[in-house]
Amino acid sequence: MDVEDLSDIFRRVLENDGVRADSDFFVMGGDSLLATRVLSAVARACGVELDFDDFLEAPTPEALCKKIASLT
């Protein structure tokens, strides 16, 4: 999974086409319930199970991509 794939997931979940690689999910209007949708989409797409703390530490597509890469 690359940063563009994650950006697409963020865009879909947030319903916001303005998401970029460095866009913070929570600044863009995300909340904990929407974050679970991102985490589920990541698990389905690449088989990596992340928890909410992982997401809090890496709330941008770019940071989350690095987090996933470090686990695979």
Side-chain angles (χ1 to χ4, degrees), residues 1-63:
M1 174 166 280
D2 65 20
V3 71
E4 191 57 35
D5 294 330
L6 283 169
S7 295
D8 286 341
I9 291 171
F10 277 42
R11 286 183 195 108
R12 186 175 65 246
V13 169
L14 292 171
E15 297 178 356
N16 184 335
D17 292 334
V19 172
R20 299 183 325 250
D22 63 348
S23 296
D24 186 295
F25 181 81
F26 298 103
V27 172
M28 299 291 288
D31 58 31
S32 60
L33 292 176
L34 291 175
T36 61
R37 291 179 53 197
V38 171
L39 295 173
S40 293
V42 167
R44 281 192 309 274
C46 64
V48 174
E49 296 285 334
L50 300 170
D51 61 28
F52 188 68
D53 287 336
D54 293 324
F55 196 77
L56 287 175
E57 293 172 6
T60 68
E62 184 175 46

